[in-house]
Amino acid sequence: MTNLPTINMTDGYKLDHRNQYPEGTTLCYSNFTCRSLKRFNSGVDFDNKVVFFGLQGVCIRLLIEDWDDNFFNQHIDDVTIDYARRINNYLGPNKIGTNHIRALHELGYLPVLIKALPEGSRVNARIPLWTIQNTLPEFFWLSNYLETQLSCELWKPPTSATTAYEFRRLFDYWAYFTGSPKEAVQFQGHDFSFRGMCGVMDAASSGAAHLLSFSGTDTLPAIDYLEKYYKADSDKELVGVSVPATEHSVMCMGGQGDEIVTFDRLITEVYPTGIVSVVSDTWDFWKVVTEYLPALKNTIMARNGKLVIRPDSGTPADILCGTARTDGNTPQERGLIQCLWDIFGGTFTKKGYKLLDEHIGAIYGDSITLKVAEEICSRLEVREFASVNWVAGIGSFTYQNVTRDTLGTAIKATYGVVNGEGRAIFKAPKTDSGEKNSAKGLLRVEKEGDDFVLYENQTWDEEASGALEPVFYNSQMLRIQTLAEIREILHGNK
């Protein structure tokens, strides 16, 4: 909850649009679309589709919970007095007034209808993900008044969901190519982004998007988010998991001269069984790899569990794969994965690629992008290693290094009613390349084969059909999707 006046959650320039629309306006119909994906830092063979996610959570948390707590459940006089004070201090004495705010409060709910595609759908650019319209004529101003808060809350979840899906697609490909265990891919992308996100709720919703494609996460609130808003149940299903792991303060506290003692204590006393991840570059990473790990080999191999080595600095592909294209002589030239193979050995996949012994593994979480992950997988393949010999810690460098323009998301009005006459409206700036052109009129989206297709200038009867289904009506949810359903839509029986 924001505990801020929800009625003020709009761009300042929208405050008086109610008076700027033509007299007699009674309806405003808008859509949310990802207009262009050219700024999305995709991997190879990107098919220009986004993963739709996040609307349900925002409808419940913002349009119902926040609006109830911070507007409808407040005393009407307090709301209107505070609103008048804010607007008059902001714009100066003006004619915006408070009667429309009082009328909305007296109504007791948000008179809007939102129709949407199923969350988890993969949708081509320029196809509406959802539409919004007012349900009472006197509140024609509300649809686009809500644009700001909805845009603010809803551009990130599909961006993160699309990023996570592309990581999953990448890892699935390399697992297939190298004959890696298919079940390992579900845990190969691990969310490391929490500390670098723009607030806890941003981390939670973005982290929830990550969990559509993977099960590994250190963003604990993402699990709570999915349980609260998407009917997930971690008692009954795998929502998100992690393992015990150290940070540099733990290793430093043990002392540089006793680093091997810290390793030994962690794997024999603190975590004698199970998986434990230990950050290993606090001082001399290659000393850890070439001296400490061989000295602890028997202990590691005798454990009922896995020790995961975590480098956290340097060039990721060079650290994991080595700087030499052949075996190399130094550990730096050979890389972590080869060094671990030399010490602990392993098995071979059905396609002949080397798979590290189950007692040892690696995770790297410093600035991992899709392109870096692709480079690591391809360089491991050259060295004849299976792709799942490492786990990617996908952090805020990837999940936060994005903007609303990454997918070109925008909410634009396409239809209105003035004095009883329907008007198909659109924007098409001649000074733009065409990217900012909007759709026109009432909209219908149909699923045709593997794609969604947009039909413009529809009649109301045509608009009522198709794949855009009512999900929110007058502050009530009409459709609730579960995490399991969304994962099934996105991945099928993968």
Side-chain angles (χ1 to χ4, degrees):
M1 301 302 173
T2 60
N3 293 321
L4 296 174
T6 311
I7 193 64
N8 292 345
M9 292 182 187
T10 194
D11 287 311
Y13 81 106
K14 285 184 175 291
L15 292 168
D16 205 29
H17 286 181
R18 181 178 60 92
N19 289 317
Q20 296 175 17
Y21 285 115
E23 186 175 351
T25 299
T26 55
L27 181 96
C28 184
Y29 174 102
S30 301
N31 79 108
F32 178 96
T33 304
C34 298
R35 296 181 295 187
S36 172
L37 278 60
K38 67 182 182 182
R39 299 176 185 86
F40 179 68
N41 293 317
S42 61
V44 296
D45 299 326
F46 182 52
D47 62 1
N48 214 43
K49 290 184 179 181
V50 304
V51 176
F52 176 34
F53 176 70
L55 177 63
Q56 179 173 298
V58 168
C59 283
I60 298 172
R61 179 177 62 83
L62 176 64
L63 299 186
I64 296 176
E65 294 176 350
D66 274 15
W67 271 89
D68 281 351
D69 289 349
N70 301 320
F71 184 75
F72 292 116
N73 292 341
Q74 300 295 315
H75 193 280
I76 189 169
D77 291 335
D78 292 337
V79 169
T80 52
I81 290 171
D82 288 347
Y83 181 80
R85 173 180 174 272
R86 173 62 57 239
I87 303 311
N88 288 334
N89 289 343
Y90 179 63
L91 292 176
N94 59 80
K95 298 180 180 180
I96 292 177
T98 60
N99 287 341
H100 61 304
I101 304 302
R102 180 175 289 271
L104 179 60
H105 191 284
E106 290 175 343
L107 183 65
Y109 61 85
L110 289 177
V112 296
L113 168 65
I114 297 177
K115 300 174 66 176
L117 299 179
E119 296 196 31
S121 298
R122 298 187 65 242
V123 186
N124 296 87
R126 307 197 70 82
I127 304 297
L129 302 181
W130 52 269
T131 63
I132 182 172
Q133 65 191 84
N134 57 291
T135 59
L136 294 175
E138 61 268 36
F139 295 102
F140 65 90
W141 55 273
L142 187 59
S143 302
N144 268 30
Y145 190 93
L146 294 172
E147 174 197 347
T148 308
Q149 54 190 257
L150 291 174
S151 177
C152 175
E153 295 276 355
L154 283 169
W155 70 262
K156 174 69 78 64
T159 307
S160 295
T162 304
T163 298
Y165 180 85
E166 289 302 306
F167 269 101
R168 179 62 186 266
R169 191 171 65 85
L170 172 69
F171 292 147
D172 278 336
Y173 167 79
W174 281 107
Y176 173 79
F177 190 86
T178 61
S180 297
K182 184 178 180 181
E183 60 274 13
V185 179
Q186 183 177 357
F187 303 96
Q188 196 174 2
H190 195 96
D191 182 8
F192 272 10
S193 66
F194 193 175
R195 70 189 62 191
M197 304 301 278
C198 289
V200 172
M201 195 54 68
D202 177 49
S205 60
S206 174
H210 170 89
L211 290 173
L212 300 187
S213 291
F214 295 103
S215 296
T217 182
D218 265 44
T219 305
L220 201 58
I223 303 172
D224 297 306
Y225 189 92
L226 288 168
E227 289 197 326
K228 184 170 184 179
Y229 299 119
Y230 287 89
K231 290 190 175 297
D233 186 346
S234 60
D235 291 331
K236 299 178 181 178
E237 62 184 323
L238 180 58
V239 179
V241 294
S242 190
V243 301
T246 71
E247 65 178 17
H248 287 103
S249 70
V250 172
M251 309 309 290
C252 289
M253 206 70 75
Q256 183 173 1
D258 288 328
E259 188 176 18
I260 189 172
V261 176
T262 300
F263 267 87
D264 183 70
R265 183 174 63 85
L266 288 168
I267 62 177
T268 60
E269 299 177 23
V270 183
Y271 307 106
T273 62
I275 303 174
V276 58
S277 173
V278 180
V279 65
S280 305
D281 74 328
T282 307
W283 295 291
D284 188 340
F285 176 73
W286 295 114
K287 184 175 184 179
V288 169
V289 174
T290 60
E291 295 184 23
Y292 298 167
L293 293 184
L296 294 170
K297 175 181 177 180
N298 290 339
T299 302
I300 294 169
M301 296 295 282
R303 286 182 76 244
N304 180 19
K306 175 183 287 190
L307 171 63
V308 178
I309 302 301
R310 179 164 75 91
D312 194 45
S313 53
T315 302
D318 288 346
I319 296 293
L320 291 175
C321 307
T323 57
R325 297 301 176 179
T326 57
D327 285 345
N329 297 312
T330 67
Q332 292 92 333
E333 290 176 331
R334 297 172 73 77
L336 174 61
I337 303 302
Q338 180 67 59
C339 287
L340 294 179
W341 176 266
D342 294 341
I343 300 166
F344 298 98
T347 59
F348 291 86
T349 72
K350 59 186 178 182
K351 293 189 177 181
Y353 288 87
K354 291 173 282 189
L355 191 64
L356 289 173
D357 184 271
E358 62 182 5
H359 293 90
I360 196 73
I363 185 171
Y364 202 114
D366 185 39
S367 304
I368 300 297
T369 64
L370 281 162
K371 290 182 179 179
V372 170
E374 165 69 21
E375 181 185 3
I376 291 170
C377 290
S378 63
R379 285 174 61 175
L380 285 177
E381 190 277 330
V382 169
R383 301 291 292 272
E384 299 181 345
F385 280 102
S387 61
V388 295
N389 279 305
W390 74 294
V391 171
I394 308 168
S396 59
F397 185 84
T398 288
Y399 280 133
Q400 187 60 19
N401 193 23
V402 290
T403 71
R404 184 173 73 95
D405 291 326
T406 300
L407 299 182
T409 60
I411 300 174
K412 296 299 175 187
T414 63
Y415 186 84
V417 175
V418 180
N419 294 320
E421 176 191 354
R423 295 183 178 181
I425 59 178
F426 67 100
K427 61 175 289 188
K430 288 187 177 181
T431 49
D432 181 67
S433 63
E435 179 180 320
K436 290 188 175 183
N437 289 1
S438 67
K440 185 176 183 180
L442 297 174
L443 308 177
R444 175 169 58 95
V445 175
E446 295 285 357
K447 184 70 180 291
E448 299 179 4
D450 292 331
D451 296 317
F452 289 94
V453 178
L454 170 63
Y455 293 90
E456 304 177 55
N457 286 316
Q458 300 294 284
T459 66
W460 278 112
D461 286 342
E462 291 170 331
E463 191 273 348
S465 64
L468 291 166
E469 300 176 349
V471 299
F472 178 92
Y473 178 77
N474 292 352
S475 290
Q476 299 292 321
M477 295 300 298
L478 301 182
R479 182 184 75 187
I480 295 291
Q481 291 181 261
T482 67
L483 170 63
E485 291 169 349
I486 294 170
R487 282 174 169 172
E488 177 66 23
I489 291 171
L490 180 56
H491 299 286
N493 296 317
K494 179 178 291 185

